[in-house]
């Protein structure tokens, strides 16, 4: 059993409304010194296979379903 | 400048419809050996303060806004 972590984040320059609004709300609550807030999506996937196959499967999951390559980068790691 | 990572995940036993549906869709695409898919929310926050203050601020952000302690656990780390 291998647990992989699939991390999907927006490419540089792509608008991040969730991060932007979170930042605004944090500031309205009195938090100071915030230079940036970025939202990231993470999937933890438990796979019944060895680590190297799991990594390959994770990359394929991103290509086929989870990530939009136009606006997102992804990274797959074994946990 | 410190970059913290705020990781918010569902507590054990709490339903994760996003993870469940992602798993179903992956399986319908032909992926095999999936034992579990869990969705996790991550925020990367850049703060204009030293690391120890940034960690404290991150924890407070979770308590005040980002996390729902009834169903979610959170972890704040310096990147």
């Amino acid at each position: 059993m291998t647990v992989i972590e699939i991390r999907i984040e927006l490419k540089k320059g792509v608008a991040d409304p969730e991060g932007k609004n979170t930042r605004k709300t944090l500031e309205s609550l009195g938090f100071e010194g915030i230079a940036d807030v970025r939202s990231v999506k993470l999937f933890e996937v438990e796979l019944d296979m060895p680590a190297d196959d799991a990594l390959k499967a994770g990359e394929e999951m991103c290509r086929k379903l989870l990530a939009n390559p136009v606006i997102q980068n992804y990274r797959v790691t074994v946990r």
Side-chain angles (χ1 to χ4, degrees), chain A residues 39-56:
Chain A
S39 72
V40 179
K41 182 71 218 169
L42 208 80
F43 290 101
E44 270 184 21
V45 183
E46 244 182 274
L47 289 165
D48 196 8
M49 56 186 73
D52 51 343
D53 292 341
L55 280 173
K56 274 180 217 154

Side-chain angles (χ1 to χ4, degrees), chain A residues 24-69:
Chain A
K24 259 195 237 166
T25 309
L26 287 169
E27 286 173 340
S28 77
L29 288 172
F31 287 99
E32 288 174 352
I34 302 176
D36 198 15
V37 177
R38 289 182 293 274
S39 72
V40 179
K41 182 71 218 169
L42 208 80
F43 290 101
E44 270 184 21
V45 183
E46 244 182 274
L47 289 165
D48 196 8
M49 56 186 73
D52 51 343
D53 292 341
L55 280 173
K56 274 180 217 154
E59 301 262 342
E60 213 187 325
M61 287 173 186
C62 288
R63 282 195 299 272
K64 287 200 175 165
L65 178 72
L66 303 176
N68 176 350

